[in-house]
Structures are given as structure tokens and as C-alpha cells.
Amino acid sequence: MGQNDIMGTAEDFVDQWRPLQISLLKRSLWSLINRRGEFFWKFLRVTKQYLPHVARLCLISTFLEDGIRMWFQWSEQRDYIDGTWNCGYFLASIFVFINLFGQLSGCILVLSRNFVQYACFGLFGIIALQTIAYSILWDLKFLMRNLALGGGLLLLLAESRSEGKSMFAGVPTMRESSPKQYMQLGGRVLLVLMFMTLLHFDMNFFSILQNIVGTALIILVAIGFKTKLAALTLVIWLFGINIYFNAFWTVPAYKPMHDFLKYDFFQTTSVIGGLLLVVALGPGGVSMDEKKKEW
């Protein structure tokens, strides 16, 4: 057999083997995707009863921690506000009291499921008050994180809001997006602002990969496509980042970095709570996942 005959036989073998390889690869990938999907839906079924409670606890964690901190650091917080705004001890003390009482009472109402809407509005007010008092308005990173925290509260408000009853019960009407669904949309969009602060513009492989994957996931959550899976992936990613970068328990309590990391840790935990609400309740009516049902 000549060299040309050997090469021809080898090429015929490759041509016959390549479709089989591609077919096997497709089957393997599809099988892997199906197993991942089955695990995800099984996880949702098992945790469906408990996930909203865990989400609410995570969501109010930053308010709970900050309210307790106001109690133990009353004089320091009062002196800081007085020194920054030169408003006197009385007004500075009023500010600290509003933060302490407003946050702790709001957390109690949310956890007890009583007057949740009023609690959410009160916590919205606390966020706005702190944004101005601590000059967060001019710090883009902290402003985006506060807005993300507001997104979590918006999702909690949407969860507590009952759907309005139609004036013409039983009469078919055109589909309209309720305020609750717009709250869910706004909450999703604001939540992803947290991840915008985590993007790094370094030219190493890990940072580039993290930016690409993170950006893809936050876009999926924002537009509401494969929302539950994307949100759960972001929860796992954000939880790992939070444990690694905000390990305040490794820093002595007397160092300023301890309080900074602690605040950042619980604020990130609150955003995780908002994402868990998305996992538990879905993206709402204003989303691609919902629109796909009509196609």
C-alpha cells in the first residue's frame, strides 16, 4: 500500500469518526445540563418552604447589625454627626435614636410578618437618611451598594403586597403589569448594582473571567431570563466573595477596619437575601421568563 493510499484511508477514518465524536460530545453536554437542571429544581422543591424566611433574615441583617451598633456606639456616632454637620448634641442624638429605633423596629416587623409594608418604607427612609448624613451620595461605590440594598427592600415590599382584585371578577381583561411586577423589576435591576462594584479591570485571566461571567449573570437577572438559576449562581458567588474579602472576625475589634469589614459583610448579606427572594419567588411578570410562556 502506497503512502497516498495510507493517507486516504486515514482521512476516510477521520471523516467517519468525527460525526460520532460530535454526537457523543453533544450527548454528554446535554446529559450534564439535564443533571444540573434536575439538581437545581430539586433544590428549589426542598427549600421552597424555608427559602423566603432565610431570604428575609439575610435581607434585614445589615439593619439589625447597624441598629445594634448604634446602641453600643451611641457616643461615637453622635460625636461624628455633630462634628460633620455641626448640629449640636441634641440633634445628633435624635439622629442616632431614629437610626436605632427605626432599624430595630423595622427588623422586628419584617421577621414577625406584621405591617411589613410600613417597615419597608421606614427602612427606605433610614437608607435615605444615612446616604445624606454620611455623605454616601458622593461616593459612587457606597451609593450603588445602598441602591442595591433598596432593591432588596423593593422585592420584600413586592412580596408583601397582595395583588389587587379586578373590578370585574370573571370577565376576561387585557394583561396588564401590576405595580407588584414593576417593583420586582425595579428590585432586580437595583440588586445587580452590587455586582457592578465587584468588577475589577485588571488584565489577569481570573479578573477577566470573573468580569465576563459576572456581567452575563447580572444581565440575565436584570432582564429576567433563566432568572432563578442566574440568581442562585450569583448568591453562591457573592457568598464566597463575602466570606473571603469581608472576614471581619479576623481583624481585632479595636481596629477601624473591623467595623468597616463588618458593615460591608452584612450589607452584602442583605443583597444575598434579595437574590434569595428572587430565587424563591421568581422574577415577576415583567421578565423574559414570563413572556416566554406567551410565545
Side-chain angles (χ1 to χ4, degrees), residues 83-120:
T84 302
W85 294 97
N86 196 25
C87 58
Y89 272 15
F90 178 75
L91 290 179
S93 298
I94 292 296
F95 170 83
V96 177
F97 175 77
I98 291 174
N99 275 271
L100 186 153
F101 180 78
Q103 291 183 102
L104 294 183
S105 60
C107 291
I108 292 172
L109 291 177
V110 168
L111 292 178
S112 63
R113 307 296 294 152
N114 293 312
F115 305 103
V116 176
Q117 295 187 27
Y118 295 105
C120 288

Coordinates of all heavy atoms in Angstrom, one line a residue, residues 83-120:
G83 N -19.8 66.5 64.7 CA -18.6 67.1 64.1 C -18.7 67.3 62.6 O -18.2 68.3 62.0
T84 N -19.5 66.5 61.9 CA -19.7 66.6 60.4 C -20.6 67.7 60.1 O -20.3 68.5 59.2 CB -20.2 65.3 59.8 OG1 -19.2 64.2 60.2 CG2 -20.3 65.4 58.3
W85 N -21.7 67.8 60.8 CA -22.8 68.8 60.4 C -22.9 70.0 61.4 O -23.6 70.9 61.1 CB -24.1 68.0 60.4 CG -24.2 67.0 59.3 CD1 -24.0 65.7 59.4 CD2 -24.5 67.3 57.9 NE1 -24.1 65.1 58.2 CE2 -24.4 66.0 57.2 CE3 -24.7 68.4 57.2 CZ2 -24.6 65.9 55.9 CZ3 -25.0 68.3 55.8 CH2 -24.9 67.0 55.2
N86 N -22.1 69.9 62.5 CA -22.1 71.0 63.5 C -23.6 71.3 63.9 O -24.0 72.5 63.9 CB -21.4 72.2 62.9 CG -21.1 73.2 64.0 OD1 -20.9 72.9 65.1 ND2 -21.0 74.5 63.6
C87 N -24.3 70.3 64.2 CA -25.8 70.4 64.5 C -26.1 70.4 66.0 O -27.2 70.6 66.4 CB -26.6 69.3 63.8 SG -26.1 67.7 64.3
G88 N -25.0 70.2 66.9 CA -25.3 70.1 68.3 C -25.6 68.7 68.8 O -26.0 67.9 68.0
Y89 N -25.4 68.5 70.1 CA -25.5 67.2 70.6 C -27.0 66.7 70.6 O -27.3 65.5 70.4 CB -25.0 67.1 72.1 CG -23.6 66.8 72.2 CD1 -22.7 66.9 71.1 CD2 -23.0 66.4 73.4 CE1 -21.4 66.6 71.2 CE2 -21.7 66.1 73.5 CZ -20.8 66.2 72.4 OH -19.5 65.9 72.5
F90 N -27.9 67.6 70.7 CA -29.3 67.2 70.8 C -29.8 66.6 69.4 O -30.3 65.5 69.4 CB -30.2 68.4 71.2 CG -31.7 68.1 71.2 CD1 -32.2 67.3 72.2 CD2 -32.5 68.5 70.2 CE1 -33.6 67.0 72.2 CE2 -33.9 68.2 70.2 CZ -34.4 67.4 71.2
L91 N -29.6 67.4 68.4 CA -30.0 66.9 67.0 C -29.2 65.6 66.6 O -29.7 64.7 66.0 CB -29.8 68.0 66.0 CG -30.8 69.2 66.1 CD1 -30.5 70.2 65.0 CD2 -32.2 68.7 66.0
A92 N -27.9 65.6 67.0 CA -27.1 64.4 66.7 C -27.6 63.2 67.4 O -27.7 62.1 66.9 CB -25.6 64.7 67.1
S93 N -28.1 63.4 68.7 CA -28.6 62.3 69.5 C -30.0 61.8 68.9 O -30.3 60.6 68.8 CB -28.8 62.7 70.9 OG -27.6 63.0 71.5
I94 N -30.8 62.8 68.4 CA -32.0 62.4 67.7 C -31.7 61.6 66.5 O -32.5 60.6 66.2 CB -32.8 63.7 67.3 CG1 -33.3 64.4 68.5 CG2 -34.0 63.4 66.4 CD1 -34.3 63.7 69.4
F95 N -30.7 61.9 65.7 CA -30.3 61.2 64.5 C -30.0 59.7 64.9 O -30.5 58.8 64.3 CB -29.2 61.8 63.8 CG -28.5 61.0 62.7 CD1 -29.1 61.0 61.5 CD2 -27.4 60.2 63.0 CE1 -28.5 60.2 60.5 CE2 -26.9 59.4 62.0 CZ -27.4 59.4 60.7
V96 N -29.2 59.5 65.9 CA -28.8 58.2 66.4 C -30.0 57.4 66.8 O -30.1 56.2 66.5 CB -27.7 58.3 67.5 CG1 -27.3 56.9 68.0 CG2 -26.5 59.0 66.9
F97 N -30.9 58.1 67.6 CA -32.1 57.4 68.1 C -33.0 56.9 66.9 O -33.5 55.8 67.0 CB -32.9 58.3 69.0 CG -34.2 57.7 69.5 CD1 -34.2 56.8 70.5 CD2 -35.4 58.1 68.9 CE1 -35.4 56.2 70.9 CE2 -36.6 57.6 69.4 CZ -36.6 56.6 70.4
I98 N -33.2 57.8 65.9 CA -34.0 57.4 64.8 C -33.4 56.2 64.1 O -34.2 55.3 63.7 CB -34.1 58.6 63.8 CG1 -35.0 59.7 64.4 CG2 -34.7 58.2 62.5 CD1 -35.1 61.0 63.6
N99 N -32.1 56.2 63.9 CA -31.5 55.1 63.3 C -31.6 53.8 64.1 O -31.9 52.7 63.6 CB -30.0 55.3 63.1 CG -29.7 56.1 61.8 OD1 -29.5 55.5 60.7 ND2 -29.7 57.4 61.9
L100 N -31.4 53.9 65.4 CA -31.5 52.7 66.3 C -32.9 52.2 66.3 O -33.2 51.0 66.0 CB -31.1 53.1 67.7 CG -31.0 52.0 68.8 CD1 -29.9 52.4 69.8 CD2 -32.3 51.8 69.5
F101 N -33.9 53.1 66.7 CA -35.3 52.6 66.8 C -35.9 52.2 65.5 O -36.6 51.2 65.4 CB -36.1 53.8 67.4 CG -37.6 53.4 67.6 CD1 -38.0 52.6 68.6 CD2 -38.5 53.9 66.7 CE1 -39.3 52.2 68.8 CE2 -39.9 53.5 66.9 CZ -40.3 52.7 67.9
G102 N -35.6 53.0 64.4 CA -36.2 52.7 63.1 C -35.7 51.4 62.5 O -36.5 50.6 62.0
Q103 N -34.5 51.1 62.7 CA -33.9 49.9 62.1 C -34.4 48.6 62.9 O -34.8 47.6 62.3 CB -32.4 50.0 62.0 CG -31.9 51.0 61.0 CD -30.4 51.0 60.9 OE1 -29.9 50.4 59.9 NE2 -29.7 51.6 61.8
L104 N -34.2 48.7 64.2 CA -34.6 47.6 65.1 C -36.1 47.3 65.0 O -36.5 46.1 64.9 CB -34.2 47.8 66.5 CG -32.7 47.8 66.8 CD1 -32.4 48.0 68.2 CD2 -32.0 46.6 66.2
S105 N -36.9 48.3 65.0 CA -38.4 48.1 64.9 C -38.8 47.5 63.6 O -39.6 46.7 63.4 CB -39.1 49.3 65.3 OG -38.8 50.4 64.4
G106 N -38.1 48.1 62.5 CA -38.4 47.6 61.2 C -38.0 46.1 61.0 O -38.7 45.3 60.4
C107 N -36.9 45.7 61.6 CA -36.5 44.3 61.5 C -37.4 43.4 62.3 O -37.8 42.3 61.8 CB -35.1 44.1 62.1 SG -33.7 44.9 61.2
I108 N -37.9 43.8 63.4 CA -38.9 43.0 64.2 C -40.2 42.9 63.4 O -40.7 41.8 63.3 CB -39.1 43.7 65.5 CG1 -37.9 43.6 66.4 CG2 -40.3 43.0 66.3 CD1 -38.0 44.4 67.7
L109 N -40.6 43.9 62.8 CA -41.9 43.8 62.0 C -41.7 42.9 60.8 O -42.6 42.1 60.5 CB -42.3 45.2 61.5 CG -42.8 46.2 62.6 CD1 -43.1 47.6 62.0 CD2 -44.0 45.6 63.3
V110 N -40.6 43.0 60.1 CA -40.3 42.1 58.9 C -40.3 40.7 59.4 O -40.9 39.8 58.7 CB -39.1 42.5 58.2 CG1 -38.7 41.5 57.2 CG2 -39.2 43.9 57.5
L111 N -39.6 40.4 60.4 CA -39.4 39.0 60.8 C -40.7 38.4 61.4 O -41.0 37.2 61.2 CB -38.3 38.9 61.9 CG -36.9 39.1 61.4 CD1 -35.9 39.0 62.5 CD2 -36.5 38.1 60.3
S112 N -41.5 39.3 62.0 CA -42.8 38.8 62.6 C -43.9 38.8 61.5 O -45.1 38.4 61.8 CB -43.2 39.7 63.8 OG -43.4 41.0 63.4
R113 N -43.7 39.4 60.3 CA -44.6 39.5 59.2 C -45.8 40.3 59.6 O -46.9 40.1 59.1 CB -45.1 38.1 58.8 CG -44.0 37.1 58.5 CD -43.2 37.5 57.3 NE -44.0 37.5 56.1 CZ -43.8 38.3 55.0 NH1 -42.8 39.1 55.1 NH2 -44.5 38.2 53.9
N114 N -45.6 41.4 60.3 CA -46.6 42.3 60.7 C -46.3 43.7 60.1 O -45.1 44.2 60.3 CB -46.8 42.5 62.2 CG -47.3 41.2 62.9 OD1 -48.3 40.6 62.4 ND2 -46.6 40.7 63.9
F115 N -47.2 44.3 59.5 CA -47.0 45.7 58.9 C -45.7 45.8 58.1 O -44.9 46.7 58.2 CB -47.0 46.7 60.0 CG -48.3 46.7 60.9 CD1 -48.2 46.2 62.2 CD2 -49.5 47.2 60.4 CE1 -49.3 46.1 63.0 CE2 -50.6 47.2 61.2 CZ -50.5 46.6 62.5
V116 N -45.5 44.8 57.3 CA -44.2 44.7 56.5 C -44.1 45.9 55.6 O -43.0 46.4 55.4 CB -44.2 43.4 55.7 CG1 -42.9 43.3 54.9 CG2 -44.2 42.2 56.7
Q117 N -45.2 46.3 55.0 CA -45.1 47.5 54.1 C -44.6 48.7 54.8 O -43.8 49.5 54.3 CB -46.4 47.7 53.4 CG -46.9 46.5 52.5 CD -48.1 46.9 51.7 OE1 -48.4 48.0 51.4 NE2 -48.9 45.8 51.3
Y118 N -45.2 49.0 56.0 CA -44.7 50.1 56.8 C -43.3 50.0 57.2 O -42.5 51.0 57.2 CB -45.6 50.3 58.0 CG -47.1 50.6 57.6 CD1 -48.1 49.7 57.8 CD2 -47.4 51.9 57.2 CE1 -49.4 49.9 57.5 CE2 -48.7 52.2 56.9 CZ -49.7 51.2 57.0 OH -51.0 51.5 56.7
A119 N -42.9 48.8 57.5 CA -41.5 48.5 57.9 C -40.5 48.8 56.7 O -39.5 49.4 56.9 CB -41.3 47.1 58.4
C120 N -40.9 48.4 55.5 CA -40.1 48.6 54.3 C -40.0 50.1 54.1 O -38.9 50.6 53.8 CB -40.7 47.9 53.1 SG -40.6 46.1 53.1

